[in-house]
Every structure is written in C-alpha cells, then in structure tokens.
C-alpha cells in the first residue's frame, strides 16, 4: 500500500460535458427568448442552449445565425426530446403544448406566460404526478421572495397597482370588450379594478406579473389589482402593497420596455439569473 506521500496527485478538475450540463430549450424567440438565447450562447456554467422554437422558423434561423454555437429551430412538440428544461416565452395560448411534454417527462418548465396557468391548472397536477416542476420566475416584477416568505405566515392583504404607457395596453381584450378608448387620453385613466384572475383574461399579454404575485401570495381571487393607462409614462410600473403578520411592505418597479412595449427588459434578465443560480456556488435570493 503506498503512503499518502507517494500517491499520485489527483487529476486537475476539468469540466465534464457528458453529464451535469443542463440542456436548455427556448420556446418563443421574441423579446424574452432572444435575450435568453444570447445569454446562454455567451456561456453560462452548467447550462447549454440546445434548441429553440419560433413561429417563423426561417426568420428565427436568421436571428440565431450569429450565435457561437448554432442550435436547431424545431416545432414546440419536438423540444422535449432535446432538452432537460424549457423556457416558455411564447404567446400564452401555447403554454399547454410547450409545458405538457416536459412535465410528463418529469422535467422543468420556466413559465413566463404565468397568466395562462390559471386556465391550465391541470399542469400543476401533471407536474406533481410525474415529478416535474413549473417555475414562475419573478419576471417583470420584484420581491416574490418576500411574498412567498410572508405566505408561510398569514398575509392579510395584497394590492397591486400597475401603470402602463398607452401603447403597452392598447388592444387588450378587456378594453375592446368594455369599449374603453385610451388612444387619445391626456390624463391617467384607471381602466381596470379587479382581481388577477379577471385580468388574466382581460389583459392576457400584460398582467402575467399580477398572476405571479397572486400565486406567490393569497391567490388570484383575494389579490386586488388596479390597472392605469398613463399617457405621460414611458415605463411599465408596478407597485405592490403587502400586509402580513410578519411584515408590511411596499415595493415598486419601473420597467424599461423592450422592442415589445408590453414587456420590460428585466423579464429576460430574471430568467437568466434563475438559470445562473442553478449552478452557482453562492446563491442569493430564494
Ligand atoms: N411573467 C412576466 O413577468 C412576463 C411575462 N411576459 C409574457 O412572456 C411571454 C413572452 O413575452 P415576449 O418575449 O415579450 O413576447 P414576444 O411577443 O416578443 O415573443 C413571443 C414569440 O413567440 C413566437 N411564437 C408565436 N407562435 C409560436 C409558435 N407556434 N412556436 C414558437 N414560437 C411562437 C412569436 O413569433 C414571438 O417571437 C408572453 O406571453 C408575455 O405576455 C412578458 C413580460 C413579463
Ligand atoms: O406583466 C407583464 O407581462 C409585463 C409587464 O407588465 C412588464 O413588463 O412590466
């Protein structure tokens, strides 16, 4: 038996690409998806972009042509066979088609169209049955860690006030249905006062954040929500007021829009920070 002195030095650690690398797929290559794709392509320890889905596959291939490691553009149904985790950042109606195959395989789905979870709650059961996970990132919001922590105690009330520039709200089904014209307003106008459950239907491309807040806290029927159209604003702003037995807090965020005026820049960054934390030696925030 050799003594410790004479034992060969252990081989230097080298990255093992055969296992441990999470294969990431992106479904939807718009404001969020493209930014996340770039971040993954630039390199993220433990994560590799392996495939994307897009509405227009030719255009998507063009948008991805300059990636260092090009990936295939495939229909959403083909993503699961290629990846361990999918970032859903497509139109809300596609949520089941994107999420179901991954959840059935016990994998993880990062859901940006969080409003659509309310009308597809069977996905939660599917995740439970097969050992998959639906992750709703903080997205365009803030402080969901504080809200979920407060929910471990008793939350008495959660209120959110969203103010958006007119072009971020125009065309929302609720406005059309209720004949609320906002194109020519000169003063802030409250266009909605209700719950995230109602807003998920009336403002499907706008109020994912309110549903995320509701899921973190006291649910989509007890959370109160106001939406204002404000012609003087250039940023999507959300203010949250929480009253709980552990703490009361008020938080605000003013989001710089992307090319898609409905979506704040921080949304994609929230996904990127989530992916980066998965393998980080120091993880801050829950
Ligand atoms: N949770 C949150 O905090 C936030 C959620 N969102 C939501 O995230 C989602 C993505 O947002 P954005 O990137 O801003 O939207 P986007 O409209 O810029 O991008 C969506 C992309 O999906 C593509 N698409 C359409 N049909 C498709 C198909 N069959 N297969 C694959 N891709 C298809 C579209 O062509 C488009 O490029 C939306 O549902 C949006 O409402 C947006 C901002 C914040
Ligand atoms: O809620 C959303 O889906 C998007 C939003 O308000 C924002 O980007 O500020």
């Amino acid at each position: 038996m050799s003594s410790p002195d004479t034992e060969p030095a252990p081989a230097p650690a080298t990255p093992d690409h055969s296992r441990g690398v999470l294969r990431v797929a992106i479904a939807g290559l718009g404001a969020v998806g493209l930014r996340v794709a770039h971040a993954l392509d630039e390199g993220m320890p433990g994560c590799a972009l392996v495939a994307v889905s897009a509405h227009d596959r030719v255009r998507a291939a063009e948008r991805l042509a300059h990636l260092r490691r090009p990936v295939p553009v495939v229909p959403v149904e083909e993503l699961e066979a290629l990846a361990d985790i999918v970032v859903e950042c497509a139109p809300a109606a596609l949520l089941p088609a994107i999420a179901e195959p991954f959840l059935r395989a016990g994998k993880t789905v990062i859901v940006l169209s969080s409003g659509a979870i309310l009308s597809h709650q069977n996905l939660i059961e599917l995740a439970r049955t097969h050992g998959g996970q639906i992750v709703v990132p903080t997205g365009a919001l803030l402080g969901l860690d504080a809200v979920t922590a407060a929910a471990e105690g008793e939350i008495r009330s959660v209120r959110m006030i969203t103010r958006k520039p007119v072009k971020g709200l125009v065309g929302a089904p609720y406005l059309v249905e209720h004949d609320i014209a906002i194109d020519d307003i000169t003063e802030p106008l409250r266009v909605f006062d209700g719950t995230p459950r109602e807003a998920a239907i009336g403002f499907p491309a706008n109020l994912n954040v309110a549903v995320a807040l509701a899921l973190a806290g006291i649910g989509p029927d007890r959370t109160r929500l106001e939406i204002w159209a404000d012609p003087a604003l250039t940023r999507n702003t959300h203010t949250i007021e929480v009253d709980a037995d552990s703490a009361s807090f008020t938080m605000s965020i003013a989001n710089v829009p992307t090319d898609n005026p409905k979506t704040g820049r921080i949304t994609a960054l929230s996904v990127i920070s989530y992916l980066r934390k998965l393998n980080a030696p120091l993880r801050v925030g829950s």
Side-chain angles (χ1 to χ4, degrees), residues 1 3 14-15 19 66 68 78 81 105 139 145 150 166 172 175 182 188 205 217 229 239 248 252 256 261:
M1 205 174 139
S3 75
T14 49
R19 62 187 167 84
H66 60 282
R68 282 185 280 191
E78 293 177 22
D145 51 352
V166 169
L175 301 182
I182 58 170
T239 300
S248 301
S252 273
V256 179

PDB file of all heavy atoms in Angstrom, residues 1 3 14-15 19 66 68 78 81 105 139 145 150 166 172 175 182 188 205 217 229 239 248 252 256 261:
ATOM      1  N   MET A   1       0.845  -1.204   0.000  1.00  0.00           N
ATOM      2  CA  MET A   1       0.000   0.000   0.000  1.00  0.00           C
ATOM      3  C   MET A   1       0.875   1.247   0.000  1.00  0.00           C
ATOM      4  O   MET A   1       1.845   1.355   0.768  1.00  0.00           O
ATOM      5  CB  MET A   1      -0.862  -0.035   1.264  1.00  0.00           C
ATOM      6  CG  MET A   1      -2.112   0.740   1.129  1.00  0.00           C
ATOM      7  SD  MET A   1      -3.095   0.453   2.651  1.00  0.00           S
ATOM      8  CE  MET A   1      -3.661   2.078   2.902  1.00  0.00           C
ATOM      9  N   SER A   3       2.159   5.064   0.666  1.00  0.00           N
ATOM     10  CA  SER A   3       1.897   6.082   1.684  1.00  0.00           C
ATOM     11  C   SER A   3       1.261   7.296   1.008  1.00  0.00           C
ATOM     12  O   SER A   3       1.387   7.482  -0.203  1.00  0.00           O
ATOM     13  CB  SER A   3       3.210   6.491   2.343  1.00  0.00           C
ATOM     14  OG  SER A   3       3.916   7.310   1.455  1.00  0.00           O
ATOM     15  N   THR A  14     -11.609  18.978 -14.478  1.00  0.00           N
ATOM     16  CA  THR A  14     -11.947  19.529 -15.794  1.00  0.00           C
ATOM     17  C   THR A  14     -13.460  19.485 -15.946  1.00  0.00           C
ATOM     18  O   THR A  14     -14.095  18.588 -15.404  1.00  0.00           O
ATOM     19  CB  THR A  14     -11.331  18.693 -16.934  1.00  0.00           C
ATOM     20  OG1 THR A  14     -11.636  17.337 -16.695  1.00  0.00           O
ATOM     21  CG2 THR A  14      -9.841  18.883 -17.038  1.00  0.00           C
ATOM     22  N   PRO A  15     -14.032  20.436 -16.663  1.00  0.00           N
ATOM     23  CA  PRO A  15     -15.483  20.391 -16.813  1.00  0.00           C
ATOM     24  C   PRO A  15     -15.914  19.106 -17.508  1.00  0.00           C
ATOM     25  O   PRO A  15     -15.269  18.666 -18.454  1.00  0.00           O
ATOM     26  CB  PRO A  15     -15.814  21.612 -17.686  1.00  0.00           C
ATOM     27  CG  PRO A  15     -14.538  22.319 -17.940  1.00  0.00           C
ATOM     28  CD  PRO A  15     -13.413  21.517 -17.401  1.00  0.00           C
ATOM     29  N   ARG A  19     -22.079  14.938 -18.528  1.00  0.00           N
ATOM     30  CA  ARG A  19     -23.213  14.927 -17.596  1.00  0.00           C
ATOM     31  C   ARG A  19     -23.164  16.215 -16.790  1.00  0.00           C
ATOM     32  O   ARG A  19     -22.168  16.913 -16.766  1.00  0.00           O
ATOM     33  CB  ARG A  19     -23.144  13.710 -16.687  1.00  0.00           C
ATOM     34  CG  ARG A  19     -21.913  13.678 -15.819  1.00  0.00           C
ATOM     35  CD  ARG A  19     -21.817  12.357 -15.060  1.00  0.00           C
ATOM     36  NE  ARG A  19     -20.487  12.226 -14.493  1.00  0.00           N
ATOM     37  CZ  ARG A  19     -20.111  12.767 -13.339  1.00  0.00           C
ATOM     38  NH1 ARG A  19     -20.957  13.463 -12.638  1.00  0.00           N
ATOM     39  NH2 ARG A  19     -18.877  12.618 -12.901  1.00  0.00           N
ATOM     40  N   HIS A  66     -25.865  34.273 -35.923  1.00  0.00           N
ATOM     41  CA  HIS A  66     -24.571  34.735 -35.399  1.00  0.00           C
ATOM     42  C   HIS A  66     -24.205  34.099 -34.066  1.00  0.00           C
ATOM     43  O   HIS A  66     -23.182  34.437 -33.472  1.00  0.00           O
ATOM     44  CB  HIS A  66     -24.625  36.259 -35.251  1.00  0.00           C
ATOM     45  CG  HIS A  66     -25.702  36.688 -34.318  1.00  0.00           C
ATOM     46  ND1 HIS A  66     -27.024  36.721 -34.693  1.00  0.00           N
ATOM     47  CD2 HIS A  66     -25.654  37.021 -33.019  1.00  0.00           C
ATOM     48  CE1 HIS A  66     -27.744  37.082 -33.655  1.00  0.00           C
ATOM     49  NE2 HIS A  66     -26.951  37.270 -32.632  1.00  0.00           N
ATOM     50  N   ARG A  68     -22.598  31.687 -31.421  1.00  0.00           N
ATOM     51  CA  ARG A  68     -21.325  30.956 -31.497  1.00  0.00           C
ATOM     52  C   ARG A  68     -21.575  29.474 -31.721  1.00  0.00           C
ATOM     53  O   ARG A  68     -20.868  28.807 -32.423  1.00  0.00           O
ATOM     54  CB  ARG A  68     -20.522  31.165 -30.210  1.00  0.00           C
ATOM     55  CG  ARG A  68     -19.841  32.531 -30.208  1.00  0.00           C
ATOM     56  CD  ARG A  68     -18.970  32.677 -29.002  1.00  0.00           C
ATOM     57  NE  ARG A  68     -19.786  33.033 -27.853  1.00  0.00           N
ATOM     58  CZ  ARG A  68     -19.281  33.442 -26.687  1.00  0.00           C
ATOM     59  NH1 ARG A  68     -17.984  33.504 -26.524  1.00  0.00           N
ATOM     60  NH2 ARG A  68     -20.064  33.783 -25.701  1.00  0.00           N
ATOM     61  N   GLU A  78     -41.292  19.108 -30.516  1.00  0.00           N
ATOM     62  CA  GLU A  78     -40.016  18.377 -30.614  1.00  0.00           C
ATOM     63  C   GLU A  78     -38.979  18.805 -29.576  1.00  0.00           C
ATOM     64  O   GLU A  78     -37.888  18.243 -29.502  1.00  0.00           O
ATOM     65  CB  GLU A  78     -39.439  18.538 -32.026  1.00  0.00           C
ATOM     66  CG  GLU A  78     -40.295  17.851 -33.070  1.00  0.00           C
ATOM     67  CD  GLU A  78     -39.785  18.064 -34.495  1.00  0.00           C
ATOM     68  OE1 GLU A  78     -38.593  18.366 -34.662  1.00  0.00           O
ATOM     69  OE2 GLU A  78     -40.613  17.950 -35.421  1.00  0.00           O
ATOM     70  N   ALA A  81     -37.680  16.174 -26.445  1.00  0.00           N
ATOM     71  CA  ALA A  81     -36.709  15.102 -26.699  1.00  0.00           C
ATOM     72  C   ALA A  81     -35.273  15.639 -26.672  1.00  0.00           C
ATOM     73  O   ALA A  81     -34.320  14.868 -26.513  1.00  0.00           O
ATOM     74  CB  ALA A  81     -36.995  14.463 -28.064  1.00  0.00           C
ATOM     75  N   ALA A 105     -42.546  14.232 -18.617  1.00  0.00           N
ATOM     76  CA  ALA A 105     -41.236  13.563 -18.534  1.00  0.00           C
ATOM     77  C   ALA A 105     -40.518  13.911 -17.222  1.00  0.00           C
ATOM     78  O   ALA A 105     -39.335  13.601 -17.065  1.00  0.00           O
ATOM     79  CB  ALA A 105     -40.383  13.967 -19.744  1.00  0.00           C
ATOM     80  N   GLY A 139     -39.709  37.530 -13.110  1.00  0.00           N
ATOM     81  CA  GLY A 139     -40.068  38.173 -14.369  1.00  0.00           C
ATOM     82  C   GLY A 139     -39.982  39.686 -14.293  1.00  0.00           C
ATOM     83  O   GLY A 139     -38.986  40.245 -13.828  1.00  0.00           O
ATOM     84  N   ASP A 145     -39.833  36.752  -3.548  1.00  0.00           N
ATOM     85  CA  ASP A 145     -39.242  36.015  -2.422  1.00  0.00           C
ATOM     86  C   ASP A 145     -39.857  36.489  -1.108  1.00  0.00           C
ATOM     87  O   ASP A 145     -40.198  35.687  -0.243  1.00  0.00           O
ATOM     88  CB  ASP A 145     -37.708  36.157  -2.405  1.00  0.00           C
ATOM     89  CG  ASP A 145     -37.245  37.603  -2.502  1.00  0.00           C
ATOM     90  OD1 ASP A 145     -38.084  38.504  -2.736  1.00  0.00           O
ATOM     91  OD2 ASP A 145     -36.030  37.842  -2.338  1.00  0.00           O
ATOM     92  N   ALA A 150     -43.669  35.671   3.318  1.00  0.00           N
ATOM     93  CA  ALA A 150     -44.800  36.149   4.125  1.00  0.00           C
ATOM     94  C   ALA A 150     -45.958  35.162   4.096  1.00  0.00           C
ATOM     95  O   ALA A 150     -46.682  35.007   5.079  1.00  0.00           O
ATOM     96  CB  ALA A 150     -45.258  37.525   3.618  1.00  0.00           C
ATOM     97  N   VAL A 166     -49.746  54.096 -22.784  1.00  0.00           N
ATOM     98  CA  VAL A 166     -50.912  53.711 -23.592  1.00  0.00           C
ATOM     99  C   VAL A 166     -50.564  52.573 -24.550  1.00  0.00           C
ATOM    100  O   VAL A 166     -51.298  51.597 -24.683  1.00  0.00           O
ATOM    101  CB  VAL A 166     -51.442  54.956 -24.339  1.00  0.00           C
ATOM    102  CG1 VAL A 166     -52.468  54.562 -25.384  1.00  0.00           C
ATOM    103  CG2 VAL A 166     -52.032  55.944 -23.334  1.00  0.00           C
ATOM    104  N   ALA A 172     -55.914  45.473 -25.658  1.00  0.00           N
ATOM    105  CA  ALA A 172     -56.229  44.434 -24.658  1.00  0.00           C
ATOM    106  C   ALA A 172     -57.710  44.069 -24.760  1.00  0.00           C
ATOM    107  O   ALA A 172     -58.565  44.963 -24.864  1.00  0.00           O
ATOM    108  CB  ALA A 172     -55.902  44.934 -23.257  1.00  0.00           C
ATOM    109  N   LEU A 175     -60.319  46.050 -22.784  1.00  0.00           N
ATOM    110  CA  LEU A 175     -60.608  47.418 -23.251  1.00  0.00           C
ATOM    111  C   LEU A 175     -61.550  47.378 -24.439  1.00  0.00           C
ATOM    112  O   LEU A 175     -62.485  48.184 -24.543  1.00  0.00           O
ATOM    113  CB  LEU A 175     -59.303  48.129 -23.633  1.00  0.00           C
ATOM    114  CG  LEU A 175     -58.256  48.254 -22.517  1.00  0.00           C
ATOM    115  CD1 LEU A 175     -57.035  49.019 -23.011  1.00  0.00           C
ATOM    116  CD2 LEU A 175     -58.858  48.948 -21.299  1.00  0.00           C
ATOM    117  N   ILE A 182     -58.390  54.412 -25.194  1.00  0.00           N
ATOM    118  CA  ILE A 182     -57.290  55.060 -24.467  1.00  0.00           C
ATOM    119  C   ILE A 182     -56.319  55.792 -25.388  1.00  0.00           C
ATOM    120  O   ILE A 182     -55.448  56.508 -24.905  1.00  0.00           O
ATOM    121  CB  ILE A 182     -56.519  54.050 -23.572  1.00  0.00           C
ATOM    122  CG1 ILE A 182     -55.955  52.886 -24.406  1.00  0.00           C
ATOM    123  CG2 ILE A 182     -57.392  53.544 -22.448  1.00  0.00           C
ATOM    124  CD1 ILE A 182     -55.002  52.002 -23.618  1.00  0.00           C
ATOM    125  N   PRO A 188     -54.004  60.313 -16.753  1.00  0.00           N
ATOM    126  CA  PRO A 188     -54.053  58.897 -16.381  1.00  0.00           C
ATOM    127  C   PRO A 188     -55.498  58.434 -16.221  1.00  0.00           C
ATOM    128  O   PRO A 188     -56.338  59.181 -15.700  1.00  0.00           O
ATOM    129  CB  PRO A 188     -53.329  58.856 -15.025  1.00  0.00           C
ATOM    130  CG  PRO A 188     -52.494  60.077 -14.988  1.00  0.00           C
ATOM    131  CD  PRO A 188     -53.204  61.119 -15.799  1.00  0.00           C
ATOM    132  N   ALA A 205     -51.739  39.638 -22.334  1.00  0.00           N
ATOM    133  CA  ALA A 205     -50.328  39.875 -22.673  1.00  0.00           C
ATOM    134  C   ALA A 205     -49.703  40.901 -21.739  1.00  0.00           C
ATOM    135  O   ALA A 205     -48.594  41.360 -21.969  1.00  0.00           O
ATOM    136  CB  ALA A 205     -50.225  40.350 -24.116  1.00  0.00           C
ATOM    137  N   GLY A 217     -48.671  34.726  -3.276  1.00  0.00           N
ATOM    138  CA  GLY A 217     -49.283  35.213  -2.034  1.00  0.00           C
ATOM    139  C   GLY A 217     -50.613  34.575  -1.692  1.00  0.00           C
ATOM    140  O   GLY A 217     -50.678  33.409  -1.304  1.00  0.00           O
ATOM    141  N   ALA A 229     -53.890  53.387 -17.422  1.00  0.00           N
ATOM    142  CA  ALA A 229     -53.209  53.819 -18.657  1.00  0.00           C
ATOM    143  C   ALA A 229     -52.746  55.242 -18.396  1.00  0.00           C
ATOM    144  O   ALA A 229     -53.548  56.091 -17.980  1.00  0.00           O
ATOM    145  CB  ALA A 229     -54.183  53.770 -19.830  1.00  0.00           C
ATOM    146  N   THR A 239     -46.630  48.652  -8.531  1.00  0.00           N
ATOM    147  CA  THR A 239     -46.438  48.871  -7.101  1.00  0.00           C
ATOM    148  C   THR A 239     -47.239  47.819  -6.345  1.00  0.00           C
ATOM    149  O   THR A 239     -48.393  47.556  -6.680  1.00  0.00           O
ATOM    150  CB  THR A 239     -46.910  50.289  -6.694  1.00  0.00           C
ATOM    151  OG1 THR A 239     -46.136  51.234  -7.423  1.00  0.00           O
ATOM    152  CG2 THR A 239     -46.717  50.532  -5.207  1.00  0.00           C
ATOM    153  N   SER A 248     -45.051  44.336   6.879  1.00  0.00           N
ATOM    154  CA  SER A 248     -45.796  45.072   5.854  1.00  0.00           C
ATOM    155  C   SER A 248     -44.755  45.626   4.913  1.00  0.00           C
ATOM    156  O   SER A 248     -43.700  46.088   5.358  1.00  0.00           O
ATOM    157  CB  SER A 248     -46.559  46.247   6.462  1.00  0.00           C
ATOM    158  OG  SER A 248     -47.435  45.771   7.428  1.00  0.00           O
ATOM    159  N   SER A 252     -41.927  48.896  -5.508  1.00  0.00           N
ATOM    160  CA  SER A 252     -42.261  49.448  -6.826  1.00  0.00           C
ATOM    161  C   SER A 252     -41.172  49.137  -7.826  1.00  0.00           C
ATOM    162  O   SER A 252     -39.992  49.111  -7.466  1.00  0.00           O
ATOM    163  CB  SER A 252     -42.383  50.969  -6.745  1.00  0.00           C
ATOM    164  OG  SER A 252     -43.679  51.315  -6.377  1.00  0.00           O
ATOM    165  N   VAL A 256     -38.055  49.365 -17.936  1.00  0.00           N
ATOM    166  CA  VAL A 256     -37.708  49.884 -19.262  1.00  0.00           C
ATOM    167  C   VAL A 256     -38.238  48.881 -20.290  1.00  0.00           C
ATOM    168  O   VAL A 256     -37.909  47.692 -20.218  1.00  0.00           O
ATOM    169  CB  VAL A 256     -36.175  50.004 -19.409  1.00  0.00           C
ATOM    170  CG1 VAL A 256     -35.806  50.515 -20.798  1.00  0.00           C
ATOM    171  CG2 VAL A 256     -35.603  50.894 -18.320  1.00  0.00           C
ATOM    172  N   PRO A 261     -43.412  46.690 -26.486  1.00  0.00           N
ATOM    173  CA  PRO A 261     -43.735  47.670 -25.443  1.00  0.00           C
ATOM    174  C   PRO A 261     -44.445  47.072 -24.228  1.00  0.00           C
ATOM    175  O   PRO A 261     -44.485  47.684 -23.167  1.00  0.00           O
ATOM    176  CB  PRO A 261     -44.652  48.672 -26.161  1.00  0.00           C
ATOM    177  CG  PRO A 261     -45.134  47.981 -27.390  1.00  0.00           C
ATOM    178  CD  PRO A 261     -44.107  46.959 -27.751  1.00  0.00           C
TER     179      PRO A 261
END
